[in-house]
């Protein structure tokens, strides 16, 4: 008897497109303006993307600091221009889009404003994968009726096993996340690991899974293919020339790689070609912020797990400090610092902190000087580290600071802040609506300049180094100012505060 042929309908993999956020953040220092986006937005909206990443990460900082734009107005404008496709943003959990923890009421108000202005999906991550730093943002996102995507910051270390990532995914589902994102900020996830991680997560959770990577090490497209074979629901792509290299794999490239595959999605190739033509023109307009180094495969990242943008910044930073010949030595010190600080993943702000401490170790001798944010990581002020802090380093930090480690959620140590920030706005003659106040909480100088009509000075380069203003080593302090991240330098025995820009995550 002839067996009946049973035809199973295979679910197509979905694509999110990142060109309006991570694409230009990774390739052009987050300098794409809203007017440069608007011609492309309706065309992107017409295609079959599951989502468009348009906001968050460094874009809010860049809008205020360099582009003289109100970031909430950008969100509203893009929502009007692309109303049919869900829009995504990247949120640093309790850090919002800055470098230190904010009080719960500030986080909730920011999420409320974001949701009310049209954001649909919030990608919520914590640099340490400490879920306590995600809970407020997740609850607020759900409260305002939007999609909370909990992110697993992928990295490689003895404590970052597939089993532990799966446990984290299960915990995020229990916390109410609507989906899980595997956030491979350095582009180091290998195809076989991507396959296994997706398979294991699929066996333990019921919510959808998205894989986000970068093609910095040349693995991105291959890892996407492996994840698609394993059943991943969505992958994130961009559009050339804001694709590949330190960005996400290109949409057309992924379609070509999937041609003939039962899960290959369908896109209008003519519209994709028109988008590429538009973005090539924009890329030329932003040429002072682009670099060939961002476009090529960099295998060093597989050894040191340093995000590509950080490697390029590092070279400039060391050169300005008279340490150009120490690049290899400093980069080799990064894993040493990382292990001592509990195997923290390298993503904003921990990548900057670990890099700075590695530089100090080389310049002054290992652990002879410990920068303030590295001290704060050791003391638990950023949250619970994935692995244990080196006992000798912890003892030295406790002796230097006179403080003991904290075990509380960092935000539990913070008093409510909205009304205090609102009063500061009123005192400066600024609007006191929630949008203005939450932006002021993170970027006070820039918000004041925006409302006074002052245009920020253009940057000297696409990727300013952490030590742009001084030769001595700069140590990030882990708390926000109006110009990004507070840093301190000591010159001739006198401590000076400066601020710097960082471009990852």
């Amino acid at each position: 008897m002839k067996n009946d042929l049973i035809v199973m309908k295979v679910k197509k993999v979905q694509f999110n497109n990142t060109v309006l956020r991570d694409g230009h953040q990774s390739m052009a220092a987050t300098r794409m303006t809203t007017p440069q986006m608007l011609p492309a937005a309706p065309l992107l909206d017409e295609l079959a993307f599951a989502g468009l990443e348009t906001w968050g990460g460094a874009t809010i900082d860049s809008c205020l600091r360099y582009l003289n734009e109100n970031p909430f107005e950008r969100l509203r404008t893009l929502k009007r221009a692309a109303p049919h496709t869900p829009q995504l943003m990247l949120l640093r959990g309790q850090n919002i889009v800055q470098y230190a923890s904010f009080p719960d009421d500030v986080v909730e108000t920011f999420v409320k404003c974001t949701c009310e202005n049209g954001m649909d999906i919030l990608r919520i991550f914590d640099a340490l994968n400490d879920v306590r730093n995600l809970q407020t943002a997740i609850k607020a996102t759900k409260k305002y009726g939007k999609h909370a995507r909990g992110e697993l910051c992928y990295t490689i270390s003895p404590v970052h096993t597939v089993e532990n990532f799966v446990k984290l995914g299960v915990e995020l589902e229990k916390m109410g996340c609507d989906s899980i994102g595997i956030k491979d900020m350095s582009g180091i996830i290998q195809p076989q690991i991507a396959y296994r991680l997706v398979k294991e997560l699929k066996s333990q959770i019921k919510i959808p899974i998205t894989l986000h990577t970068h093609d910095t090490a040349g693995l991105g497209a291959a890892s996407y293919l492996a994840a698609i074979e394993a059943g991943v629901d969505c992958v994130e792509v961009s559009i050339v020339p804001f694709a590949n290299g330190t960005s996400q794999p290109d949409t057309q490239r992924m379609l070509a790689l999937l041609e003939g595959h039962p899960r290959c999605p369908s896109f209008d190739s003519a519209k994709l070609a028109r988008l590429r033509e538009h973005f090539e023109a924009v890329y030329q307009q932003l040429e002072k912020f682009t670099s060939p180094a961002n476009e090529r495969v960099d295998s060093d990242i597989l050894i040191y797990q340093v995000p590509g943008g950080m490697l390029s910044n590092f070279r400039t930073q060391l050169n300005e400090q008279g340490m150009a010949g120490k690049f290899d030595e400093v980069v080799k010190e990064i894993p040493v610092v990382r292990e001592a600080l509990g195997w923290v993943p390298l993503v904003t702000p921990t990548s900057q902190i670990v890099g700075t401490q590695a530089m100090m170790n080389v310049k002054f001798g290992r652990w002879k000087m410990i920068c303030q944010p590295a001290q704060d990581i050791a003391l638990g002020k950023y949250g619970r580290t994935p692995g244990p802090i080196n006992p000798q380093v912890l003892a030295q930090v406790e002796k230097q600071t006179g403080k003991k480690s904290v075990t509380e959620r960092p935000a539990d140590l913070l008093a409510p802040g909205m009304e205090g920030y609102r009063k500061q706005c009123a005192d400066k003659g600024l609007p006191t609506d929630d949008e203005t106040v939450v932006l002021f909480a993170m970027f006070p100088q820039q918000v004041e300049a925006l409302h006074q009509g002052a245009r920020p000075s253009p940057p000297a380069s696409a990727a300013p180094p952490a030590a742009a203003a001084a030769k001595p080593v700069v140590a990030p302090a882990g708390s926000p100012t109006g110009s990004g991240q507070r840093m301190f330098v000591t010159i001739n025995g006198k401590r000076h505060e400066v601020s710097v820009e960082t471009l990852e995550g």
Side-chain angles (χ1 to χ4, degrees), residues 32 36 242 277-287:
M32 195 185 297
Q36 289 170 326
F242 296 99
E277 183 178 357
H278 168 75
F279 286 119
E280 283 179 339
V282 174
Y283 198 79
Q284 289 299 315
Q285 294 164 11
L286 299 177
E287 63 179 350

Side-chain angles (χ1 to χ4, degrees), residues 15 215 218-222 225 237-238 240 243-245 247-259 272 297:
F15 284 1
D215 214 27
L219 298 177
L225 289 175
V237 296
S238 190
V240 167
N244 305 320
S247 182
Q248 285 69 57
D250 174 56
T251 305
Q252 288 277 36
R253 177 184 172 205
M254 284 308 306
L255 289 172
L257 287 169
L258 283 168
E259 186 172 352
L272 287 172
V297 170

Side-chain angles (χ1 to χ4, degrees), residues 30-81:
T30 330
R31 295 308 201 278
M32 195 185 297
T33 67
T34 303
Q36 289 170 326
M37 297 176 184
L38 283 177
L43 202 54
L44 286 164
D45 199 34
E46 293 172 11
L47 289 162
F49 292 111
L52 301 176
E53 192 185 41
T54 58
W55 216 59
T59 61
I60 295 172
D61 188 337
S62 187
C63 277
L64 289 166
R65 187 135 49 106
Y66 294 130
L67 306 179
N68 200 38
E69 292 189 25
N70 183 319
F72 280 109
E73 185 56 39
R74 170 179 287 191
L75 175 55
R76 288 188 286 267
T77 300
L78 291 175
K79 191 64 178 179
R80 290 192 296 268

Side-chain angles (χ1 to χ4, degrees), residues 162-172 201:
V162 168
E163 291 77 15
N164 284 341
F165 278 122
V166 171
K167 289 177 183 176
L168 181 58
V170 169
E171 192 167 2
L172 289 173
L201 282 168

Side-chain angles (χ1 to χ4, degrees), residues 134-456:
L134 305 179
Q135 63 188 41
T136 300
I138 291 171
K139 287 178 181 178
T141 301
K142 301 290 289 181
K143 176 179 178 180
Y144 295 104
K146 297 305 175 81
H147 181 115
R149 188 174 116 188
E151 302 287 314
L152 314 178
C153 289
Y154 180 79
T155 188
I156 300 171
S157 84
V159 298
H160 289 94
T161 62
V162 168
E163 291 77 15
N164 284 341
F165 278 122
V166 171
K167 289 177 183 176
L168 181 58
V170 169
E171 192 167 2
L172 289 173
E173 182 181 42
K174 290 178 180 177
M175 289 175 69
C177 287
D178 300 287
S179 67
I180 295 295
I182 302 168
K183 176 178 167 58
D184 176 25
M185 53 277 180
S186 297
I188 58 174
I189 194 167
Q190 298 162 314
Q192 66 271 25
I193 299 298
Y195 181 92
R196 184 180 165 206
L197 180 53
V198 170
K199 272 288 189 186
E200 292 291 327
L201 282 168
K202 280 286 182 183
S203 73
Q204 297 290 322
I205 65 175
K206 299 185 182 304
I207 55 179
I209 300 168
T210 297
L211 175 58
H212 172 99
T213 191
H214 296 247
D215 214 27
T216 316
L219 298 177
S223 293
Y224 277 171
L225 289 175
I228 290 167
E229 287 288 337
V232 79
D233 298 276
C234 184
V235 296
E236 300 196 319
V237 296
S238 190
I239 293 175
V240 167
F242 296 99
N244 305 320
T246 55
S247 182
Q248 285 69 57
D250 174 56
T251 305
Q252 288 277 36
R253 177 184 172 205
M254 284 308 306
L255 289 172
L257 287 169
L258 283 168
E259 186 172 352
H261 194 286
R263 298 198 66 199
C264 182
S266 177
F267 283 84
D268 187 323
S269 59
K271 289 180 179 178
L272 287 172
R274 287 167 56 194
L275 283 167
R276 175 172 181 163
E277 183 178 357
H278 168 75
F279 286 119
E280 283 179 339
V282 174
Y283 198 79
Q284 289 299 315
Q285 294 164 11
L286 299 177
E287 63 179 350
K288 65 186 288 189
F289 304 114
T290 64
S291 168
N294 293 335
E295 300 167 3
R296 62 174 181 256
V297 170
D298 188 345
S299 58
D300 282 352
I301 201 168
L302 296 173
I303 302 172
Y304 305 116
Q305 299 188 49
V306 179
M310 180 180 169
L311 276 178
S312 59
N313 283 355
F314 231 37
R315 294 183 190 277
T316 305
Q317 182 177 350
L318 290 170
N319 184 58
E320 295 205 356
Q321 295 187 23
M323 295 176 65
K326 299 287 188 180
F327 177 82
D328 288 342
E329 191 177 347
V330 171
V331 172
K332 288 176 182 177
E333 186 69 11
I334 286 175
V336 175
V337 175
R338 218 182 135 223
E339 179 178 3
L341 295 181
W343 291 112
V344 292
L346 294 179
V347 64
T348 301
T350 52
S351 55
Q352 292 82 15
I353 297 169
V354 169
T356 297
Q357 187 59 51
M359 188 166 50
M360 294 176 74
N361 281 6
V362 170
K363 190 174 182 71
F364 300 110
R366 187 170 288 170
W367 306 113
K368 297 296 184 184
M369 294 179 62
I370 303 178
C371 63
Q372 180 187 328
Q375 293 174 355
D376 289 344
I377 288 177
L379 293 172
K381 293 184 179 180
Y382 280 88
R384 187 185 297 119
T385 56
I389 302 294
N390 179 287
Q392 288 76 30
V393 171
L394 179 57
Q396 183 177 338
V397 168
E398 290 179 340
K399 182 178 179 181
Q400 287 180 353
T401 63
K403 299 175 182 177
K404 294 293 183 182
S405 300
V406 298
T407 57
E408 301 96 325
R409 182 180 70 112
D412 287 341
L413 304 174
L414 303 175
M418 275 300 294
E419 294 315 307
Y421 290 123
R422 202 181 307 277
K423 183 179 185 303
Q424 291 181 48
C425 286
D427 291 345
K428 291 179 176 292
L430 298 173
T432 56
D433 60 282
D434 284 348
E435 284 183 23
T436 303
V437 173
V438 292
L439 290 177
F440 179 87
M442 295 181 285
F443 306 103
Q445 296 170 10
Q446 278 61 43
V447 169
E448 191 171 3
L450 183 72
H451 283 276
Q452 291 174 350
R455 180 176 293 277

Side-chain angles (χ1 to χ4, degrees), residues 65-102:
R65 187 135 49 106
Y66 294 130
L67 306 179
N68 200 38
E69 292 189 25
N70 183 319
F72 280 109
E73 185 56 39
R74 170 179 287 191
L75 175 55
R76 288 188 286 267
T77 300
L78 291 175
K79 191 64 178 179
R80 290 192 296 268
H84 305 297
T85 308
Q87 295 193 21
L88 298 88
M89 74 161 294
L90 185 62
L91 184 71
R92 299 172 190 157
Q94 207 71 31
N95 296 354
I96 313 181
V97 290
Q98 260 287 3
Y99 305 93
S101 292
F102 284 86

